[in-house]
Amino acid sequence: MKLNNLKPGQTARVISLGGEGALRQHFLDMGILPETEMTLVKLAPMGDPMEFRLHGYELTLRVSDAKNIEVELLDKATEQKTPAKKETIEHPGLGEDGKYHKKGSGNPLPEGTRLKFALVGNQNSGKTTLFNQLTGSNQHVGNFPGVTVDRKDGMIRGQDNAVVTDLPGIYSMSPYSSEELVSRNFILNEKPHCIINIVDVTSIDRSLYLTMQLLELGIPMVLALNMMDEMKGNGGSVDINSMEAMLGIPVVPISASKNHGVDELIRHAVHVAKNQEGPLRQDFCSSDDNGGAVHRCLHAVIHLIEDHAKAAEIPTRFAASKIIGGDNLILEQLKLDDNEKEMLEHIVIQMENERGLDRNAAIADMRYAYIRRVTASCVTKPERSEERIRSQRLDTILTGKFTAIPMFILIMGTVFFLTFFVIGPFLQDLLAMGIGALQDVVARGMESINVNPAVRSLVIEGIFEGVGSVLSFLPLIVIMFFFLSLLEDSGYIARVAFVMDKLLRKIGLSGRSIVPMLIGFGCTVPAVMSTRTLPSDRDRKMTILLTPFMSCTAKLPIYGFFVNALFPKISWILITALYLLGILVGILVALLFKKTLFKGEAVPFVMELPNYRMPQAKNVIRLLWEKTKDFLHRAFTVILIATIVVWFLKSFDFHFN
């Protein structure tokens, strides 16, 4: 049977995975492999996409993609047995001074070297939160996959000469999306002195898949197990010593949101970077696994390409696993001759015949097999997750078949009502009173010292009235971003994308495009910037062109001026109608684009659904401060100049009288 034939609550084991190209590789990277068990959690309200649970996390797939996956139905999911208590393993002491790594061991960098760190992790793993803790920076944090849309740099606090780069969230080192290319190219070309790999310990099976690939690079590395507070709170635990021994790198449990363990993480990272202590283990295939077919293939290819990999300055083990999987970008860089390419193909075909899997699935299965051994030996998973139970309860209402759309309309309607007709106007009046009082004080002061009338007119009638009128809309902008930040931080925005995918697909977009459009109601600039998280160039361009049809808060002064002047009694109805008209025109333009400029289908909707979390006050306040500062910066530059020009034209004739 096909995966799309499952009913909610049913579990099936994957037999084979169809499809081809980058999308199929992405499915493999996300853990959809032969023998993987997948449980259908629910369907979106419109019947598409589908939400599955596998490897301890939730993943969405469209029905059309699920049709390519052959499965067999199981009576029930296989129970995860708690591993028997093992002997205590002595602390390996990786990334520390002392008897394990004496001063001067490894290959120490010269004194005074500027240390470069790369912060790498899955989307929604807490990476940006950790970056803020490491640097004291003010990057935006959200509970939606893909908050980091570009690389960001910052100095590590407490370190004189250490810079960390926050790279876009990725699930593997395969070039599926532009984010993965940015991260991979940075690591291969910029050659950081150390990688800080952050993983979500609550879904550690899937998270360690990226870790396996990073270890193949041979770069000094520290593993940060984030959200340990959640895992411990649910009764789970991790044997840190055993995990360090099995992975060959320092492992540090942290809670980025609470700043627990971050100082220890910095100490370990700086130590391995300064001393260039690389991973002690890179070979995760065994000659005993499935007859050793993958093991023999990998080592044969390593010997075949070793000289080419050194010449291209690409880690040999990493290059070997990538070209076996058909990574053409790496293959081009190696510059193999025709005989070597032919030999490579023979080696890989022999491995496929012996293993009974295609090349991509065999490499992915090799990595997940070792991950299963690591988690079985080191991780005691909680029997139940309070966060997941809470999310399931909320989802029965927020993504329910008959309640999802009404709840979305209710929530967004409440946001707009509170922003434009309750909280916003109240704060606008307070701000206007404050500006008016300050204007009176300045006017009296200038009059008392006999300031030139022209200068007085410029300050009072030009600057105060011009900039003041624009500043009066600051509360609306701040309140709008406040509510959008709450929705994103809580995890609801990801559900909106899930619910709206089928609807947006009718106009040629995927559900992910709903996020930039919602942000567009606050401000078009960050909305356009956020489109960089979309995996398709077609979707990015189309979403950018449609976002301006969502009426941002900068358009409110225009709406308010004309509506209050012409129809004061029904102003709120007309303003709402103007917003709806913008959406309607956007839909019509999208349908036109779908038939002309952007022919074709939207990209597959493959997205992880995070658990709902309580929005953190610090994150929300940080975002509001950034937006307020940005608005004020604009108000006192472009708008200040514009108001002076308007005042000048209004106050003087062509003879400057």
Side-chain angles (χ1 to χ4, degrees), residues 186-323:
F186 177 86
I187 295 170
L188 291 177
N189 300 331
E190 301 289 332
K191 295 181 171 42
H193 297 116
C194 175
I195 295 173
I196 300 174
N197 176 211
I198 180 172
V199 303
D200 178 359
V201 76
T202 62
S203 55
I204 195 166
D205 299 76
R206 188 257 302 144
S207 301
L208 285 177
Y209 186 80
L210 176 61
T211 306
M212 296 291 105
Q213 297 178 70
L214 294 174
L215 287 169
E216 292 176 348
L217 295 167
I219 297 173
M221 182 171 155
V222 178
L223 184 66
L225 299 181
N226 193 26
M227 304 184 193
M228 278 299 297
D229 53 332
E230 280 190 21
M231 190 172 200
K232 288 181 178 178
N234 290 316
S237 64
V238 178
D239 186 339
I240 302 298
N241 292 347
S242 296
M243 187 171 285
E244 282 195 351
M246 293 188 75
L247 296 179
I249 55 173
V251 178
V252 183
I254 68 167
S255 173
S257 61
K258 297 179 180 178
N259 202 24
H260 293 168
V262 176
D263 290 337
E264 182 185 355
L265 176 66
I266 293 174
R267 287 196 301 271
H268 281 74
V270 170
H271 178 91
V272 297
K274 282 185 175 180
N275 293 287
Q276 286 298 282
E277 295 170 356
L280 298 182
R281 178 165 192 164
Q282 290 178 279
D283 192 356
F284 302 104
C285 58
S286 171
S287 58
D288 298 326
D289 285 345
N290 301 291
V294 177
H295 174 80
R296 289 191 297 274
C297 175
L298 262 171
H299 287 271
V301 173
I302 287 172
H303 291 305
L304 176 66
I305 68 168
E306 191 170 7
D307 54 336
H308 294 275
K310 286 182 180 178
E313 296 185 339
I314 302 173
T316 307
R317 168 78 189 202
F318 175 78
S321 65
K322 284 298 168 190
I323 64 172

Side-chain angles (χ1 to χ4, degrees), residues 555-576:
K555 295 172 184 172
L556 266 179
I558 310 300
Y559 291 171
F561 176 79
F562 284 105
V563 168
N564 286 322
L566 301 175
F567 308 100
K569 293 183 179 180
I570 54 170
S571 59
W572 71 273
I573 296 176
L574 286 179
I575 288 178
T576 304

Side-chain angles (χ1 to χ4, degrees), residues 429-496:
D429 292 341
L430 288 180
L431 186 61
M433 288 171 58
I435 293 173
L438 180 61
Q439 182 177 349
D440 291 340
V441 171
V442 172
R444 286 197 298 269
M446 295 179 77
E447 190 174 347
S448 65
I449 58 175
N450 296 318
V451 173
N452 184 284
V455 175
R456 192 162 67 234
S457 174
L458 169 63
V459 173
I460 302 303
E461 298 175 14
I463 296 175
F464 265 100
E465 291 186 6
V467 176
S469 64
V470 175
L471 281 180
S472 66
F473 288 93
L474 177 62
L476 297 180
I477 293 173
V478 172
I479 296 301
M480 173 64 81
F481 273 109
F482 170 74
F483 285 120
L484 287 177
S485 177
L486 289 180
L487 294 176
E488 184 179 313
D489 225 17
S490 67
Y492 178 65
I493 293 292
R495 267 70 180 185
V496 174

Side-chain angles (χ1 to χ4, degrees), residues 32-74:
I32 304 177
L33 295 159
E35 301 301 315
T36 298
E37 293 184 8
M38 300 180 67
T39 301
L40 178 60
V41 179
K42 62 175 175 288
L43 299 171
M46 300 177 201
D48 192 16
M50 312 170 78
E51 179 188 349
F52 295 94
R53 183 165 181 80
L54 67 157
H55 297 302
Y57 77 104
E58 276 73 31
L59 182 71
T60 64
L61 296 176
R62 288 199 183 121
V63 171
S64 57
D65 295 321
K67 287 180 180 178
N68 293 324
I69 302 174
E70 188 76 28
V71 297
E72 61 174 346
L73 189 64
L74 300 177

Side-chain angles (χ1 to χ4, degrees), residues 110-182:
E111 284 293 327
T113 300
R114 184 183 178 89
L115 300 178
K116 294 187 296 183
F117 295 87
L119 181 57
V120 186
N122 294 162
Q123 295 177 0
N124 213 53
S125 61
K127 188 166 50 60
T128 303
T129 304
L130 177 58
F131 180 78
N132 289 336
Q133 299 289 12
L134 290 172
T135 63
S137 182
N138 294 316
Q139 297 299 337
H140 171 41
V141 177
N143 190 17
F144 177 80
V147 169
T148 306
V149 293
D150 208 345
R151 52 171 283 191
K152 302 177 181 71
D153 300 318
M155 297 298 296
I156 296 180
R157 57 182 173 81
Q159 301 296 321
D160 296 331
N161 206 12
V163 62
V164 60
T165 299
D166 180 20
L167 296 172
I170 58 176
Y171 289 105
S172 82
M173 295 289 280
S174 304
Y176 172 68
S177 66
S178 58
E179 287 79 21
E180 288 171 344
L181 275 176
V182 167

